[in-house]
């Protein structure tokens, strides 16, 4: 096509497009001015649009109300309920050997007791401690979640600032995810579940609503990089603590909380384990039964939720545990920070 002819064709198309827009705007103006007007083709156009967009031509129906216990059993689909009552193995000098191989593990800083949280839609959110004898309790926080959501969480008292100006807010910290808005993710790799949790939180968070309690995903560290956690620990004055500085962990969002310990989670499924190839300078997977090794993640090496949950360990930072230089002296009968770091350094090389 000649350049002049091409320009003329473009101009004609542009003029036609503008003409259609002017007609459409005039029509909208007329309908606003006279509310008795109607468009006979509206229903036909609506159906055609829904067909083109692939949207079912169905009226929205409010979900039927259900109780959290019934919804929980619906979401876990016959999984043995005793799994949810498992408590973590305490990390002590006697159980320290359990975190071998070091490369198989991830860790997260704890700020309170672990709970299960279920979302039935909007503010219908309940928590459960995991024991069959316990009831699901309505969450007394201002937050909203989509229905058919099941999470492993902590309700943490976050703090910002120090002294009289210090502000406290309760936040939901996600440790792991089981079901997200009806999508069962329990069989996916722990790292993938955490990535999905990050996307989920980004989608449901309402930063323009400071009156709502926040929901966050725990920061996950490789066990061999545990030392990065200790850099984030400080002694801070907590309002209401009689002026005595307390151990605080500052997260990536600049809010801090009083840590209670460290969760250590195995993300590799037996008989697979991870090692580091000095020749190739990269990690690999090794099967202890078949003696096979591969750089690619084998599907049966992925530890699903129940394996991660059952096998987790907890290093409690109570009295006598010194994880910051300003704390009281270490109790010689308890597992020290130096003991753990030395073990990790020895067994991650």
């Amino acid at each position: 096509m000649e350049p002049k002819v091409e320009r003329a064709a473009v101009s004609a198309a542009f003029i036609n497009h503008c003409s259609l827009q002017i007609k459409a705007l005039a029509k909208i103006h007329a309908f606003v001015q006279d509310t008795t007007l109607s468009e006979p083709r509206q229903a036909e156009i609506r159906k055609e649009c829904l067909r083109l967009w692939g949207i079912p031509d169905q009226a929205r129906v409010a979900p039927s109300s259900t109780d959290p216990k019934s919804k929980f059993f619906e979401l876990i689909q016959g999984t043995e309920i005793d799994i949810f009552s498992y408590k973590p193995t305490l990390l002590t000098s006697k159980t320290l050997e359990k975190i071998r191989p070091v490369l198989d593990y991830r860790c997260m800083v704890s700020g309170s007791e672990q709970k299960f949280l279920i979302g039935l839609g909007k503010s219908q959110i309940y928590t459960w401690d995991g024991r069959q004898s316990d009831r699901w309790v309505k969450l007394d926080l201002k937050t909203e979640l989509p229905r058919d959501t099941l999470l492993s969480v902590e309700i943490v008292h976050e703090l910002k600032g120090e002294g009289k100006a210090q502000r406290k807010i309760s936040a939901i910290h996600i440790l792991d995810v089981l079901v997200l808005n009806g999508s069962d993710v329990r069989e996916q790799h722990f790292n993938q579940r955490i990535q999905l949790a990050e996307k989920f939180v980004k989608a449901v968070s309402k930063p323009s609503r400071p009156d709502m309690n926040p929901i966050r995903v725990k920061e996950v560290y490789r066990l061999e990089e545990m030392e990065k956690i200790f850099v984030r620990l400080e002694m801070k004055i907590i309002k209401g603590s009689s002026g005595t500085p307390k151990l605080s962990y500052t997260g990536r969002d600049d809010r801090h909380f009083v840590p209670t310990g460290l969760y250590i989670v195995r993300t590799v499924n037996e008989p697979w384990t991870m090692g580091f190839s000095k020749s190739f300078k990269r990690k690999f997977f090794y099967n202890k039964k078949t003696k096979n090794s591969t750089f690619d993640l084998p599907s049966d090496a992925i530890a699903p939720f129940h394996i991660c949950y059952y096998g987790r360990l907890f290093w409690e930072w109570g009295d006598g545990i010194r994880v910051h230089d300003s704390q009281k002296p270490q109790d010689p009968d308890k597992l020290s920070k130096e003991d753990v770091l030395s073990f990790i350094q020895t067994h991650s090389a």
Side-chain angles (χ1 to χ4, degrees):
M1 186 183 289
E2 292 293 327
K4 287 183 179 179
V5 177
E6 186 178 354
R7 282 198 295 272
V10 171
S11 297
F14 177 73
I15 291 168
N16 184 54
H17 177 71
C18 290
S19 177
L20 290 172
Q21 279 195 323
I22 290 167
K23 286 180 181 178
L25 289 169
K27 192 171 184 179
I28 291 170
H29 182 263
F31 273 71
V32 171
Q33 294 290 336
D34 186 354
T35 55
T36 62
L37 293 175
S38 64
E39 168 56 72
R41 295 181 59 240
Q42 185 176 0
E44 180 189 337
I45 292 169
R46 173 185 170 279
K47 285 186 177 181
E48 184 63 17
C49 288
L50 291 174
R51 187 187 67 78
L52 288 170
W53 296 333
I55 299 172
D57 188 4
Q58 296 172 348
R60 291 183 65 183
V61 179
S64 57
S65 60
T66 183
D67 66 282
K69 188 175 181 180
S70 299
K71 176 57 69 174
F72 170 74
F73 281 107
E74 179 188 321
L75 293 178
I76 66 170
Q77 299 173 358
T79 302
E80 181 56 56
I81 193 170
D82 287 342
I83 288 171
F84 299 94
S85 64
Y86 290 154
K87 295 299 177 186
T89 300
L90 290 178
L91 189 69
T92 64
S93 54
K94 292 180 180 178
T95 59
L96 193 57
E97 283 290 329
K98 285 184 175 289
I99 60 172
R100 289 182 61 187
V102 169
L103 300 182
D104 290 357
Y105 290 86
R106 298 287 190 275
C107 54
M108 298 170 282
V109 179
S110 171
S112 70
E113 292 290 321
Q114 181 270 341
K115 299 174 181 289
F116 290 99
L117 181 149
I118 195 165
L120 305 182
K122 294 288 187 178
S123 61
Q124 294 299 304
I125 303 170
Y126 297 81
T127 61
W128 176 55
D129 289 338
R131 294 182 293 269
Q132 289 194 55
S133 57
D134 293 333
R135 296 174 60 190
W136 286 90
V137 180
K138 183 81 162 62
L139 182 67
D140 189 22
L141 294 181
K142 194 169 185 178
T143 191
E144 294 181 353
L145 289 176
R147 60 193 171 110
D148 297 347
T149 293
L150 183 60
L151 312 169
S152 172
V153 305
E154 291 180 343
I155 308 302
V156 177
H157 297 307
E158 294 183 339
L159 304 155
K160 192 163 189 177
E162 287 191 73
K164 293 181 180 179
Q166 190 174 77
R167 288 179 293 136
K168 180 169 77 171
I169 188 169
S170 295
I172 300 169
H173 286 196
I174 297 177
L175 293 162
D176 206 341
V177 293
L178 295 82
V179 184
L180 295 173
N181 197 202
S183 178
D184 191 334
V185 299
R186 288 176 292 172
E187 297 299 316
Q188 297 198 38
H189 193 284
F190 177 78
N191 296 350
Q192 180 66 17
R193 297 199 301 269
I194 292 297
Q195 287 175 19
L196 290 170
E198 294 277 9
K199 288 183 179 179
F200 176 79
V201 165
K202 190 175 180 181
V204 302
S205 293
K206 298 180 179 178
S208 62
R209 292 281 307 276
D211 59 311
M212 297 191 78
N213 297 85
I215 177 167
R216 314 186 199 281
V217 181
K218 284 284 190 189
E219 289 180 78
V220 179
Y221 297 85
R222 296 179 184 276
L223 190 59
E224 68 268 27
E225 296 176 347
M226 184 191 284
E227 204 151 2
K228 290 180 178 179
I229 294 172
F230 299 116
V231 177
R232 308 278 281 277
L233 297 177
E234 299 176 81
M235 301 301 290
K236 294 193 176 205
I237 302 292
I238 307 296
K239 190 187 285 187
S241 62
S242 306
T244 305
K246 285 195 170 185
L247 183 69
S248 293
Y249 168 82
T250 303
R252 55 193 165 195
D253 48 17
D254 205 32
R255 289 187 180 272
H256 60 276
F257 61 87
V258 177
T260 58
L262 201 68
Y263 276 112
I264 301 171
V265 181
R266 182 177 180 124
T267 64
V268 181
N269 204 12
E270 294 276 8
W272 289 95
T273 185
M274 287 184 72
F276 185 80
S277 170
K278 294 180 180 178
S279 305
F280 291 93
K281 305 294 183 188
R282 58 182 294 196
K283 294 174 183 176
F284 65 93
F285 295 90
Y286 175 73
N287 189 308
K288 291 184 287 187
K289 281 187 177 179
T290 64
K291 312 300 182 187
N292 291 332
S293 60
T294 175
F295 288 117
D296 299 318
L297 172 64
S299 59
D300 57 339
I302 295 172
F305 169 80
H306 71 276
I307 296 293
C308 293
Y309 189 72
Y310 172 77
R312 71 210 157 107
L313 296 101
F314 187 71
W315 180 23
E316 187 177 1
W317 291 350
D319 293 337
I321 304 292
R322 189 170 186 254
V323 292
H324 189 275
D325 294 341
S326 300
Q327 286 181 295
K328 293 177 182 178
Q330 169 74 31
D331 184 336
D333 295 326
K334 294 185 177 180
L335 191 64
S336 71
K337 166 187 166 183
E338 287 71 28
D339 291 336
V340 177
L341 289 178
S342 175
F343 183 89
I344 289 172
Q345 187 176 13
T346 302
H347 297 284
S348 60

